[in-house]
Amino acid sequence: MSDDIQSEGCCKPCDGDHDHASEPRLGWHEYFMSVAHLIAKRATCTRGHIGAVVVRDNNILSTGYNGAPSGLPHCNETNCKIYRSVHPDGTVEENCVNTIHAEINAIAQAAKHGVSIKDADIYITASPCIHCLKVLINVGIRTIYYDKPYKIEHISELLRLSGIRLVQINVHNI
Protein backbone atom coordinates (compact mmCIF):
# COMPACT_ATOMS: atom_id res chain seq x y z
CA MET A 1 0.00 0.00 0.00
CA SER A 2 1.44 3.38 -0.93
CA ASP A 3 2.12 6.06 1.68
CA ASP A 4 -0.24 8.58 0.11
CA ILE A 5 -3.20 6.20 0.41
CA GLN A 6 -2.38 5.39 4.04
CA SER A 7 -2.19 9.05 4.99
CA GLU A 8 -5.77 9.59 3.81
CA GLY A 9 -7.29 7.21 6.38
CA CYS A 10 -10.13 8.04 8.72
CA CYS A 11 -7.91 9.94 11.14
CA LYS A 12 -6.47 12.57 8.82
CA PRO A 13 -6.94 16.19 9.92
CA CYS A 14 -9.99 18.01 8.58
CA ASP A 15 -9.43 20.85 6.14
CA GLY A 16 -12.30 22.94 7.60
CA ASP A 17 -12.43 25.30 10.54
CA HIS A 18 -13.40 22.50 12.94
CA ASP A 19 -10.48 21.20 15.02
CA HIS A 20 -11.30 17.71 16.33
CA ALA A 21 -8.07 17.56 18.30
CA SER A 22 -9.34 20.27 20.66
CA GLU A 23 -12.58 18.37 21.45
CA PRO A 24 -12.34 16.39 24.67
CA ARG A 25 -13.23 12.72 24.39
CA LEU A 26 -16.51 11.84 26.13
CA GLY A 27 -16.27 9.83 29.33
CA TRP A 28 -18.34 6.65 29.60
CA HIS A 29 -21.11 8.26 31.67
CA GLU A 30 -21.42 11.17 29.25
CA TYR A 31 -21.36 8.80 26.29
CA PHE A 32 -24.12 6.49 27.55
CA MET A 33 -26.29 9.36 28.79
CA SER A 34 -25.89 11.08 25.42
CA VAL A 35 -27.01 7.84 23.74
CA ALA A 36 -30.05 7.74 26.07
CA HIS A 37 -30.95 11.29 25.03
CA LEU A 38 -30.61 10.37 21.35
CA ILE A 39 -32.83 7.31 21.85
CA ALA A 40 -35.42 9.50 23.60
CA LYS A 41 -35.92 11.29 20.27
CA ARG A 42 -37.74 8.14 19.07
CA ALA A 43 -40.33 8.38 21.87
CA THR A 44 -43.93 8.75 20.73
CA CYS A 45 -45.65 9.82 23.96
CA THR A 46 -46.57 13.48 23.63
CA ARG A 47 -46.22 14.03 27.40
CA GLY A 48 -42.51 13.28 27.61
CA HIS A 49 -39.61 11.78 25.71
CA ILE A 50 -37.55 9.36 27.78
CA GLY A 51 -34.70 7.14 26.63
CA ALA A 52 -32.94 4.26 28.38
CA VAL A 53 -29.71 2.34 27.73
CA VAL A 54 -28.77 -0.87 29.55
CA VAL A 55 -25.00 -1.27 29.86
CA ARG A 56 -22.57 -3.82 31.26
CA ASP A 57 -18.77 -3.58 31.06
CA ASN A 58 -19.07 -0.44 28.88
CA ASN A 59 -21.11 -2.32 26.27
CA ILE A 60 -24.67 -1.45 25.29
CA LEU A 61 -26.94 -4.45 25.87
CA SER A 62 -30.32 -2.94 25.00
CA THR A 63 -32.16 0.34 24.56
CA GLY A 64 -35.70 1.60 24.96
CA TYR A 65 -37.87 4.68 24.68
CA ASN A 66 -41.39 5.39 25.83
CA GLY A 67 -44.17 4.59 23.42
CA ALA A 68 -47.02 2.23 22.59
CA PRO A 69 -46.53 -1.52 22.18
CA SER A 70 -45.34 -2.57 18.70
CA GLY A 71 -48.02 -2.29 16.05
CA LEU A 72 -50.46 -0.33 18.24
CA PRO A 73 -51.37 3.35 17.82
CA HIS A 74 -48.96 5.78 19.46
CA CYS A 75 -49.96 8.86 21.46
CA ASN A 76 -48.64 11.13 18.73
CA GLU A 77 -51.11 9.44 16.35
CA THR A 78 -54.19 9.31 18.60
CA ASN A 79 -53.84 11.05 21.98
CA CYS A 80 -52.69 10.09 25.43
CA LYS A 81 -55.23 8.18 27.49
CA ILE A 82 -54.56 9.42 30.99
CA TYR A 83 -55.33 7.62 34.22
CA ARG A 84 -54.76 8.98 37.70
CA SER A 85 -53.46 7.16 40.72
CA VAL A 86 -52.96 8.34 44.26
CA HIS A 87 -49.78 7.60 46.23
CA PRO A 88 -50.02 6.77 49.94
CA ASP A 89 -48.78 10.30 50.71
CA GLY A 90 -51.79 11.72 48.84
CA THR A 91 -50.00 13.00 45.74
CA VAL A 92 -51.74 12.31 42.46
CA GLU A 93 -49.82 10.85 39.54
CA GLU A 94 -50.99 10.84 35.95
CA ASN A 95 -49.86 8.18 33.49
CA CYS A 96 -50.77 7.23 29.95
CA VAL A 97 -52.49 3.89 29.36
CA ASN A 98 -50.92 3.61 25.86
CA THR A 99 -47.31 4.13 26.88
CA ILE A 100 -44.70 1.59 27.95
CA HIS A 101 -41.89 3.36 29.79
CA ALA A 102 -38.39 3.44 28.32
CA GLU A 103 -36.92 1.23 31.06
CA ILE A 104 -39.51 -1.51 30.49
CA ASN A 105 -38.98 -1.32 26.72
CA ALA A 106 -35.21 -1.74 27.23
CA ILE A 107 -35.85 -4.79 29.43
CA ALA A 108 -38.31 -6.19 26.86
CA GLN A 109 -35.80 -5.68 24.05
CA ALA A 110 -33.14 -7.60 26.01
CA ALA A 111 -35.60 -10.43 26.75
CA LYS A 112 -36.78 -10.59 23.14
CA HIS A 113 -33.20 -11.08 21.96
CA GLY A 114 -32.10 -13.39 24.80
CA VAL A 115 -29.70 -10.90 26.39
CA SER A 116 -29.15 -11.19 30.14
CA ILE A 117 -29.11 -7.83 31.88
CA LYS A 118 -28.43 -9.16 35.38
CA ASP A 119 -25.76 -7.06 37.13
CA ALA A 120 -25.98 -4.38 34.42
CA ASP A 121 -26.44 -0.63 34.83
CA ILE A 122 -29.05 1.56 33.17
CA TYR A 123 -28.83 5.13 31.91
CA ILE A 124 -32.18 6.94 31.77
CA THR A 125 -32.93 10.51 30.77
CA ALA A 126 -35.14 10.81 33.87
CA SER A 127 -35.17 8.89 37.15
CA PRO A 128 -37.54 5.91 37.08
CA CYS A 129 -41.10 5.87 38.35
CA ILE A 130 -41.86 3.52 41.23
CA HIS A 131 -43.26 0.84 38.90
CA CYS A 132 -40.19 0.80 36.67
CA LEU A 133 -37.92 0.77 39.70
CA LYS A 134 -39.62 -2.40 40.99
CA VAL A 135 -38.95 -4.11 37.66
CA LEU A 136 -35.35 -2.85 37.57
CA ILE A 137 -34.85 -4.38 41.02
CA ASN A 138 -36.20 -7.74 39.85
CA VAL A 139 -34.03 -7.94 36.73
CA GLY A 140 -30.87 -7.30 38.74
CA ILE A 141 -29.86 -3.77 37.71
CA ARG A 142 -27.02 -2.54 39.95
CA THR A 143 -26.91 1.21 39.30
CA ILE A 144 -29.41 3.63 37.81
CA TYR A 145 -27.84 6.69 36.19
CA TYR A 146 -30.31 9.45 35.37
CA ASP A 147 -30.23 13.01 34.06
CA LYS A 148 -33.41 14.74 35.27
CA PRO A 149 -35.10 13.90 38.59
CA TYR A 150 -38.68 12.61 38.46
CA LYS A 151 -40.53 12.22 41.76
CA ILE A 152 -37.52 10.76 43.55
CA GLU A 153 -39.31 11.08 46.87
CA HIS A 154 -41.59 8.20 45.78
CA ILE A 155 -38.70 5.80 45.16
CA SER A 156 -36.27 6.62 47.96
CA GLU A 157 -37.50 3.87 50.31
CA LEU A 158 -37.33 1.17 47.62
CA LEU A 159 -33.84 2.30 46.67
CA ARG A 160 -32.72 2.10 50.29
CA LEU A 161 -34.21 -1.38 50.80
CA SER A 162 -32.95 -2.79 47.48
CA GLY A 163 -29.41 -1.43 47.59
CA ILE A 164 -29.61 -0.15 44.02
CA ARG A 165 -27.56 3.00 43.55
CA LEU A 166 -29.21 6.06 42.01
CA VAL A 167 -26.68 8.48 40.49
CA GLN A 168 -27.42 11.74 38.70
CA ILE A 169 -25.41 12.37 35.52
CA ASN A 170 -25.99 15.76 33.92
CA VAL A 171 -25.07 15.96 30.27
CA HIS A 172 -25.04 19.40 28.72
CA ASN A 173 -24.78 20.45 25.09
CA ILE A 174 -25.83 17.19 23.49
Side-chain angles (χ1 to χ4, degrees):
M1 182 180 277
S2 69
D3 289 330
D4 58 329
I5 293 174
Q6 281 183 319
S7 68
E8 292 192 23
C10 67
C11 297
K12 77 174 198 161
C14 294
D15 293 334
D17 294 335
H18 195 64
D19 182 12
H20 290 288
S22 65
E23 288 182 18
R25 184 177 185 201
L26 288 178
W28 288 114
H29 293 305
E30 296 161 320
Y31 170 68
F32 292 125
M33 190 59 74
S34 296
V35 171
H37 278 280
L38 180 62
I39 290 163
K41 293 177 186 251
R42 289 274 310 152
T44 59
C45 183
T46 56
R47 298 179 71 227
H49 290 194
I50 307 297
V53 180
V54 179
V55 174
R56 186 175 46 239
D57 299 327
N58 293 332
N59 290 290
I60 295 174
L61 302 176
S62 67
T63 64
Y65 52 86
N66 55 331
S70 296
L72 299 181
H74 292 278
C75 297
N76 62 354
E77 300 167 341
T78 58
N79 278 323
C80 288
K81 295 177 184 168
I82 304 302
Y83 70 92
R84 290 171 179 78
S85 57
V86 180
H87 284 272
D89 68 3
T91 58
V92 175
E93 183 156 344
E94 294 183 341
N95 288 290
C96 178
V97 172
N98 294 342
T99 298
I100 300 173
H101 289 186
E103 304 92 310
I104 304 301
N105 272 327
I107 292 165
Q109 184 187 69
K112 182 178 182 177
H113 297 288
V115 176
S116 171
I117 58 173
K118 183 177 187 276
D119 297 326
D121 300 325
I122 190 166
Y123 290 78
I124 316 168
T125 56
S127 58
C129 73
I130 193 165
H131 305 293
C132 288
L133 176 58
K134 291 184 283 187
V135 177
L136 293 171
I137 291 168
N138 272 7
V139 299
I141 293 294
R142 295 179 314 166
T143 304
I144 299 167
Y145 297 99
Y146 71 98
D147 188 357
K148 307 287 183 210
Y150 173 78
K151 300 185 180 183
I152 291 180
E153 64 277 5
H154 293 158
I155 64 172
S156 59
E157 181 69 7
L158 277 179
L159 288 168
R160 186 185 66 76
L161 292 171
S162 69
I164 290 181
R165 291 182 23 198
L166 182 68
V167 179
Q168 188 169 24
I169 303 289
N170 290 119
V171 178
H172 304 288
N173 301 324
I174 51 173

